[in-house]
Every structure is written in structure tokens, then in C-alpha cells.
Amino acid sequence: MLTKIFEVVFGGNEPHGSLEIYQVAARAIVVYISGILIVRIGKSRVIGRVTSLDIILGFILGSLLSRGITGHAPISDTLIASAALVATHWLLTIIACRSHRAGVVLKGSPILLIEHGKVLLAAMREAHISGHDLEEGLRLNGIENFAEVKYAYKERNGEISVIKTKPDGEE
């Protein structure tokens, strides 16, 4: 009985023909809700402050989940593979948090771009940051010129962070 309902509503686990519009809609709802639960349980940061691990997970999950919605992959396989990917992501982020070396390998490391107002051109080339990118990063941090910067870094997530030089007389 449940199998027949599943077949009618979702087109079955692995459709053997084209899905009806309502079946695609039903699959989309199930995959969407399941995807939210899987990502929330895995504590992923697919949206927000992300690292390369999070971006890759987002791309793969998007591709994988879409195949489950359209019926190009069995819905059960789609959900199992999604859960496995998020679990792997969760495990890798735990390893990266507990081991600095693993964190550097998996997430990268910050690159010093400005030191005491001096732009480090070799570091900018290494980080693939143009002068315009650096100026934009400074403006977003409320900095008008390089002399105001004690240190500026390209962080692991690609953002530019700034530590301002303290005004004379301040410690």
C-alpha cells in the first residue's frame, strides 16, 4: 500500500519514465526538506562565512540533490549520498579544528598582505590579489590609506582583514 502511494506521489524511488509535474514538485519538497535536515545536522556553513570545503560541499550537494528532484537518480540514493557527503564534511571540519596542520591543508592559511603600512607585493601575487582588490578590502574595513594599517591579511575564506595602526600616544 505504502509502496503504491510512493509510486503515485513521487514516481517511485527510481522512475522508469518521465515524471509528472506534481511528482517533480513532491520530490522537490522532500529533497529540499531532507537537504535542510542533512545540512543542519552536519552543521555546515554552506551559506555565510565559508571556506573552500564549504563551497565544494555546496556545489556537490546542489548537483546531487537536483538529480534526485528530476528523477535522474533514485531519491533514496540521492539522500544517502547527501548524508554521506555532509558527514564527511563534518568529520573533515572536526579534524581541521583539532589539528592546525590539517586545518592548513584543508582550509588554507592567511597571507599577510600589508605590514606596518607597507604593501607586500610578492604576497599579493601569491594570494592573487590586485591593488584594486586590496584597496576595496581596506575601504570595506574603513581604511583610507595604507599608513593606517598595521597588518592586513587575506584570510582563509578569501576576505581581507585589517588590524589598524594605533594613533600616536595609544598603546
Side-chain angles (χ1 to χ4, degrees):
M1 176 76 171
L2 246 94
T3 308
K4 185 64 177 162
I5 293 171
F6 191 78
E7 185 72 37
V8 170
V9 174
F10 299 106
N13 183 44
E14 189 171 1
H16 300 291
S18 295
L19 293 171
E20 298 293 330
I21 298 282
Y22 72 88
Q23 291 171 327
V24 172
R27 289 172 77 93
I29 292 166
V30 167
V31 168
Y32 178 72
I33 291 170
S34 299
I36 288 172
L37 293 173
I38 290 168
V39 169
R40 291 295 302 145
I41 290 167
K43 297 181 181 359
S44 175
R45 300 177 304 188
V46 174
I47 301 204
R49 192 174 176 272
V50 297
T51 64
S52 57
L53 284 174
D54 302 305
I55 292 169
I56 291 168
L57 176 67
F59 281 128
I60 293 172
L61 274 180
S63 174
L64 184 62
L65 293 173
S66 70
R67 294 179 56 74
I69 291 170
T70 60
H72 288 98
I75 198 164
S76 60
D77 291 356
T78 297
L79 297 179
I80 289 167
S82 297
L85 283 171
V86 171
T88 302
H89 179 267
W90 184 75
L91 179 65
L92 289 175
T93 57
I94 285 176
I95 292 169
C97 286
R98 294 197 174 142
S99 165
H100 175 69
R101 189 171 295 158
V104 169
V105 170
L106 294 170
K107 295 182 176 185
S109 57
I111 299 171
L112 181 63
L113 302 173
I114 300 175
E115 186 172 30
H116 299 291
K118 183 176 185 266
V119 177
L120 306 175
L121 295 175
M124 286 181 54
R125 282 191 295 275
E126 176 190 346
H128 298 270
I129 299 281
S130 72
H132 297 293
D133 295 333
L134 185 58
E135 290 169 357
E136 175 186 358
L138 295 181
R139 286 191 304 273
L140 290 170
N141 281 280
I143 305 288
E144 292 183 26
N145 63 59
F146 298 131
E148 297 177 54
V149 179
K150 184 174 182 179
Y151 301 108
Y153 295 89
K154 177 185 177 195
E155 297 296 348
R156 299 185 325 174
N157 68 352
E159 293 179 20
I160 295 175
S161 66
V162 177
I163 299 170
K164 295 179 183 182
T165 301
K166 294 183 180 175
D168 290 337
E170 282 189 33
E171 284 291 320

